[in-house]
Amino acid sequence: KVQTHKTKQHRSTMERAVALIRRLQTLQSTHKIDLYNKDWLRTWDKTDAELEATMLVNQILQIFYKELNLSCKVFQGGLAVSNFRDKSTRTRFSFASAADLLGLTIQDMDETKSQVSHGETVRETAAMISFLTQAIGIRDDIFLGEGHKYQKEVSDTVHQAFQEGVLPSIPAVVNLQCDEDHPTQAMADLSHLIEHFGGVENLKGKKLVMSWAYSPSYGKPLSVPQAIIALMTRFGMEVTLAHPEGYELLPEITDIAKKNAEKSGGHFTITHNMSEAFKGADVVYPKSWAPIPIMVERCDLLRKGQGSGEAMKQLEARGLAESAKFKDWCCTEELMKLTKNGSALYMHCLPADINGVNCKDGEVTSPVFDKYRVPTYKEAGHKPYCIAAMMLLCRFPDAAATLSKILERGQHRMLL
């Protein structure tokens, strides 16, 4: 009986995988999926069909790995190069996991140990690291106005090097967070929401609150909240952006969110009241970010090599003093009671600043975080598959055919 149950369960899982591959095949035949030999830099540069394809590949890879015990290796060698110009835990290991999942060897680039420190140009570095490279993941979120520009320069370089015959293929450049967007985080969050609500069609009409929250760290990037409002408004969600006055996001990205909401039939609103925002919410995402003027001034000092000087210390003191005015912007049990049925889904990109745990005052109280700790960890667990989906779509002309071959091959990842 146990064996019969396992057989039926396996058959059902196989049928789900096949159905998703067929959906991807249909999507590829009815829409232009222009990702092969391209990059994955910002969600708002992708069509609805390209987002759907990425989400489908992510879901299929999760079934292959978690439920069918299948090896997803589609490369028999090659590198995936990561270049983290800022600190990272989840995204760093998610990129490495995604590379390994597909059969690539991870190579983490440390610019201090390369000729970049001797003045080597971006054009030269990008070409030199790409001879046998299939994917380049870049995090560059410190300097406003620079991160996306740097990633685009790397992309332009490898395309040019391929056209000139220097490279045998075009590595996919994947944005692991820049100054504007954090697409691997936002797509992982979307995958988590789809799983939580039982389908992408069920996101329409759900209220999601992207809220600023207090943190004892004053200089956190804008890219996560910008990524969330720009992506979730494409699915008919009722997205509310909440923050104190002075903590606005880049206006060109809030404009994108407004246009997306109008097109999808959702709504996008901005409020300066956290309690009002939480009322009736289905999802809350309390997360700190820095004021744009502080970020601009900080970037200027860093460019001048004054990152540890007196001017930076004074700026930090001003930034902390300003944010301390809003310590009450914290996700508490009382605020959560205002949400829909008092049980909204709490989300965070992690690490969260938790009151009495890793800071005195922060973004969320420990009882709230403890309640949602496992869901937030599961949220993070979608990221390796989303990154792998981006890589696969950018390196294979027919993703559905490639996934079908993995299924037909039937090679187990573990001998059980």
Side-chain angles (χ1 to χ4, degrees), residues 130-132 161-162 165-170 395:
S130 299
F131 293 124
L132 277 77
F162 171 75
V166 175
L167 300 180
S169 60
I170 304 172
R395 294 305 303 124

Side-chain angles (χ1 to χ4, degrees), residues 171-411:
V173 179
V174 179
N175 175 6
L176 302 179
Q177 189 172 16
C178 70
D179 53 319
E180 298 180 14
D181 194 11
H182 195 346
T184 62
Q185 180 65 50
M187 290 296 283
D189 291 340
L190 176 61
S191 182
H192 183 57
L193 287 171
I194 290 170
E195 186 173 88
H196 179 77
F197 288 111
V200 67
E201 67 280 359
N202 295 328
L203 300 186
K204 191 172 182 66
K206 296 291 189 297
K207 182 179 178 181
L208 182 149
V209 178
M210 183 69 240
S211 177
W212 185 87
Y214 171 73
S215 169
S217 172
Y218 77 101
K220 294 186 178 180
L222 312 175
S223 39
V224 169
Q226 290 176 169
I228 296 304
I229 66 168
L231 182 60
M232 303 313 171
T233 46
R234 295 180 72 165
F235 298 92
M237 298 191 81
E238 312 283 323
V239 177
T240 296
L241 175 64
H243 59 76
E245 292 188 33
Y247 285 81
E248 291 75 16
L249 301 179
L250 291 173
E252 57 268 33
I253 297 176
T254 55
D255 286 344
I256 288 171
K258 290 173 187 175
K259 291 174 184 176
N260 286 345
E262 290 172 5
K263 184 179 177 181
S264 71
H267 287 93
F268 176 68
T269 57
I270 299 175
T271 179
H272 302 307
N273 188 311
M274 194 176 189
S275 297
E276 283 298 316
F278 270 52
K279 288 180 180 177
D282 296 284
V283 184
V284 295
Y285 204 133
K287 163 85 175 73
S288 184
W289 63 84
I292 291 175
I294 290 284
M295 288 290 283
V296 170
E297 194 172 343
R298 181 171 177 265
C299 291
D300 288 342
L301 290 173
L302 289 171
R303 287 191 188 96
K304 295 173 183 176
Q306 299 177 22
S308 58
E310 187 59 34
M312 182 63 83
K313 291 178 183 177
Q314 292 177 5
L315 175 64
E316 181 175 350
R318 281 195 285 117
L320 291 172
E322 179 61 28
S323 63
K325 298 175 184 176
F326 307 105
K327 284 187 178 182
D328 58 331
W329 281 66
C330 176
C331 185
T332 63
E333 291 174 287
E334 290 71 27
L335 276 179
M336 291 300 287
K337 289 175 183 177
L338 298 176
T339 66
K340 189 173 182 179
N341 300 321
S343 59
L345 176 66
Y346 166 87
M347 296 179 69
H348 200 286
C349 56
L350 302 179
D353 293 314
I354 309 165
N355 291 10
V357 177
N358 55 3
C359 62
K360 181 181 177 182
D361 298 297
E363 299 167 319
V364 59
T365 61
S366 57
V368 172
F369 187 82
D370 287 345
K371 181 179 178 181
Y372 292 93
R373 180 182 60 81
V374 171
T376 59
Y377 288 5
K378 289 183 177 179
E379 174 189 353
H382 289 271
K383 191 180 287 186
Y385 302 97
C386 287
I387 295 174
M390 293 172 178
M391 290 181 183
L392 193 148
L393 282 160
C394 291
R395 294 305 303 124
F396 291 87
D398 187 342
T402 301
L403 293 164
S404 292
K405 289 176 184 177
I406 293 174
L407 197 58
E408 291 165 7
R409 182 178 63 193
Q411 182 180 342

